[in-house]
Amino acid sequence: MNSIDEKLQPVLAEVIRRNAGEPEFHQAVHEVLESLGRVVAKHPHYLEQALIERICEPERQIIFRIPWTDDQGQVQINRGFRVQFNSALGPYKGGMRFHPSVNVGIIKFLGFEQTFKNALTGMPIGGGKGGSDFDPKGRSDAEIMRFCQSLMTELHRHLGEQTDVPAGDIGVGGREIGYMFGQYKRLNNRFEAGVFTGKALAYGGSRARTEATGYGNTYFVDSMLKTRGTNFDGKTVVVSGSGNVAIYSIEKVQSFGGKVIACSDSSGYIVDENGIDLALLKEIKTVRRERISEYARRRGNGVHFIASDKGSIWDVPCDVAMPSATQNELSGKDARVLVKNGVIAVGEGANMPSTPEAVKVFRDASVLFAPGKAANAGGVATSALEMQQNASRDSWTFEQTEARLAAIMRSIHDTCHETADEYGAPGDYVLGANIAGFVRVAEAMRMLGVI
Ligand code: NDP
């Protein structure tokens, strides 16, 4: 708490008091408030009208029961969440996460981060997030469908293309989005394409949305490397996770000439010194939905699998690290190992994957460090492009859409870089992202009055 400006310390104290037992939310608020001391020193009017207190309080939080019947005929009950955090810049926008660890604190932290991330994209979208403690692992297609339909039977009344627009996140990909959108369409009796993003091309999706978060993070890291006169060519890269973000980070890094030698899932990680065979990884993860150890078994060739209780993927020496699995997956100890092994850049594909201690280690060592709210904004930016295409009943080519994504990521990079310079912290992307995102949301909120 000491690193927070004394004028802002009561804000954090109140957030902790009112949101007891939600450590991830406290962590996310703490990190943003830490950056705002320089802003309120320069622009004290942001301390007026409880503006910062209002930014930390979600506009609306919805928690609901999701009953569904499994393949054995047993009734199961899960809990659903949607936190509509901030709509100063546009309709609430943010993904749905299905994972047993989901609770209101996790969804709140994600919605809070999303608000600033969406502002950084420069697109007209507010911040929100949702999900359920449902575990999709091992469930049949029919069970997934019944669960998604039950969830949407309640959630549909809170959504709308001008109100709240969900998308995917951990455990929610094209299949789940299809089932949720299908039920929304049925209940509302209208084909409201812009109410969901991450849709398949067949019913109004955007080209390059699936790839966007991983590609976007790679563009961001590439821009950071260029500030030091280098690029991905010939660099050794480690990407954690093997889901949507990880797979398309690996694809783009490879196309930029980097060599990705390790990736993971929650069971452990694999090291493939020859460079990951992406076609094999995609088949195992997106078609067969198997564990990562299967990659080592099928590839042979000296590839080894290390179980998660036997070591950390961050022990693998690399030039660039791209944590792309989940929050707090990279500890202070991991960061020290990465620095010792000579890492030069870290791009957060996941949301808040580095612990506060890890972030400090990277910043103290002058590692190029891209925080998730800037580096992984390509996904939501392309979701906003999907909404644009839906609104104009248009469909762009892959090249057109990727070119827009690349331009947005370069612009987010430059905004963070310039903002850090402006506030006297050159090269500090954490500060740059937090301040630039905050100022956009805060300015709009000031104009809208106390609401
Ligand atoms: P996926 O479900 O496609 O993949 C998640 C990956 O992370 C899987 O390999 C999963 O392994 C692993 N993982 C998840 N939870 C844990 C855990 N507790 N411990 C270890 N590994 C874990 O999700 P996405 O790729 O979509 O999301 C990854 C991250 O990126 C999340 O933080 C998400 O919020 C963020 N993000 C995603 C965006 C998107 O467009 N999809 C946009 C912006 C951010 P396993 O299968 O074993 O669980």
Side-chain angles (χ1 to χ4, degrees):
M1 190 141 161
N2 289 341
S3 51
I4 293 184
D5 185 286
E6 63 175 20
K7 293 190 205 62
L8 299 173
Q9 288 189 9
V11 181
L12 181 64
E14 187 61 3
V15 165
I16 292 173
R17 190 190 68 77
R18 305 180 81 188
N19 301 276
E22 298 176 5
E24 293 84 2
F25 181 49
H26 304 166
Q27 184 182 334
V29 173
H30 187 291
E31 194 218 85
V32 169
L33 293 183
E34 230 174 21
S35 300
L36 297 187
R38 293 172 198 241
V39 183
V40 296
K42 208 167 170 178
H43 306 290
H45 62 265
Y46 288 131
L47 290 167
E48 291 164 15
Q49 298 195 320
L51 194 134
I52 298 176
E53 288 84 339
R54 280 188 286 138
I55 275 192
C56 295
E57 179 70 17
E59 289 177 16
R60 190 174 296 107
Q61 306 179 51
I62 302 145
I63 303 181
F64 53 100
R65 181 172 70 197
I66 310 175
W68 58 283
T69 306
D70 68 18
D71 287 347
Q72 285 68 48
Q74 298 294 316
V75 174
Q76 303 279 342
I77 298 171
N78 286 99
R79 188 171 286 176
F81 303 90
R82 188 76 188 163
V83 173
Q84 300 181 326
F85 220 106
N86 193 301
S87 60
L89 296 176
Y92 309 107
K93 180 88 198 83
M96 297 289 287
R97 173 176 293 190
F98 294 171
H99 194 271
S101 64
V102 164
N103 57 43
V104 70
I106 299 237
I107 299 300
K108 228 185 264 179
F109 117 66
L110 289 164
F112 182 74
E113 290 276 297
Q114 192 84 45
T115 300
F116 303 107
K117 177 190 310 192
N118 294 2
L120 277 174
T121 67
M123 321 286 279
I125 40 180
K129 198 82 187 187
S132 171
D133 58 1
F134 171 71
D135 187 356
K137 278 204 194 77
R139 291 293 176 190
S140 69
D141 269 4
E143 290 177 316
I144 299 275
M145 182 176 77
R146 287 195 294 275
F147 171 78
C148 289
Q149 290 177 340
S150 179
L151 178 151
M152 191 50 71
T153 301
E154 170 57 32
L155 189 62
H156 79 103
R157 70 190 89 248
H158 305 289
L159 306 180
E161 62 185 1
Q162 312 293 348
T163 311
D164 185 352
V165 182
D169 191 78
I170 292 178
V172 178
R175 174 181 59 170
E176 293 75 16
I177 289 172
Y179 294 147
M180 285 190 275
F181 178 74
Q183 182 75 346
Y184 179 90
K185 186 176 82 59
R186 182 184 191 192
L187 291 167
N188 287 279
N189 191 30
R190 47 190 263 141
F191 195 101
E192 196 184 329
V195 75
F196 238 100
T197 62
K199 302 184 295 296
L201 266 183
Y203 63 92
S206 171
R207 291 183 176 83
R209 174 61 188 92
T210 309
E211 295 82 357
T213 309
Y215 278 22
N217 187 21
T218 312
Y219 281 120
F220 195 103
V221 174
D222 183 56
S223 296
M224 290 202 303
L225 291 171
K226 290 204 165 96
T227 65
R228 298 218 177 141
T230 185
N231 57 35
F232 269 107
D233 202 22
K235 298 277 187 305
T236 300
V237 182
V238 169
V239 177
S240 64
S242 49
N244 172 270
V245 179
I247 282 176
Y248 291 100
S249 302
I250 296 172
E251 185 163 289
K252 202 58 176 176
V253 168
Q254 289 181 341
S255 82
F256 281 177
K259 186 167 153 193
V260 184
I261 56 164
C263 68
S264 63
D265 65 17
S266 56
S267 68
Y269 66 98
I270 56 101
V271 183
D272 186 346
E273 298 288 352
N274 293 319
I276 281 172
D277 176 343
L278 190 56
L280 177 61
L281 183 69
K282 278 185 181 173
E283 191 205 324
I284 289 170
K285 280 298 173 182
T286 63
V287 182
R288 305 167 72 95
R289 298 179 192 265
E290 289 170 337
R291 305 277 70 202
I292 198 72
S293 52
E294 192 56 21
Y295 178 93
R297 201 188 65 75
R298 297 261 305 267
R299 181 105 150 125
N301 223 1
V303 175
H304 45 285
F305 166 73
I306 297 102
S308 51
D309 56 351
K310 297 277 183 303
S312 159
I313 189 172
W314 309 117
D315 295 340
V316 180
C318 60
D319 302 310
V320 179
M322 300 172 84
S324 305
T326 193
Q327 64 274 359
N328 293 327
E329 54 159 306
L330 197 163
S331 66
K333 179 166 167 275
D334 293 327
R336 281 188 289 277
V337 172
L338 282 165
V339 169
K340 182 168 80 47
N341 288 335
V343 75
I344 55 175
V346 177
E348 292 192 325
N351 285 309
M352 213 167 74
S354 313
T355 63
E357 191 192 349
V359 177
K360 183 168 182 327
V361 170
F362 292 137
R363 288 163 93 184
D364 289 350
S366 295
V367 170
L368 292 166
F369 177 78
K373 65 169 75 68
N376 70 35
V380 75
T382 309
S383 278
L385 299 178
E386 182 174 336
M387 291 161 77
Q388 256 181 50
Q389 293 169 73
N390 293 150
S392 57
R393 301 194 184 282
D394 199 357
S395 177
W396 307 345
T397 64
F398 193 95
E399 292 68 28
Q400 223 177 337
T401 319
E402 195 190 343
R404 289 285 299 270
L405 165 66
I408 292 168
M409 293 315 296
R410 306 252 184 243
S411 152
I412 297 174
H413 170 272
D414 294 352
T415 300
C416 297
H417 199 262
E418 286 156 18
T419 306
D421 276 352
E422 185 188 335
Y423 283 85
D428 188 337
Y429 290 91
V430 173
L431 202 99
N434 285 337
I435 295 182
F438 167 81
V439 168
R440 284 188 183 160
V441 179
E443 271 310 298
M445 284 178 72
R446 254 161 42 88
M447 292 175 197
L448 296 173
V450 178
I451 53 171

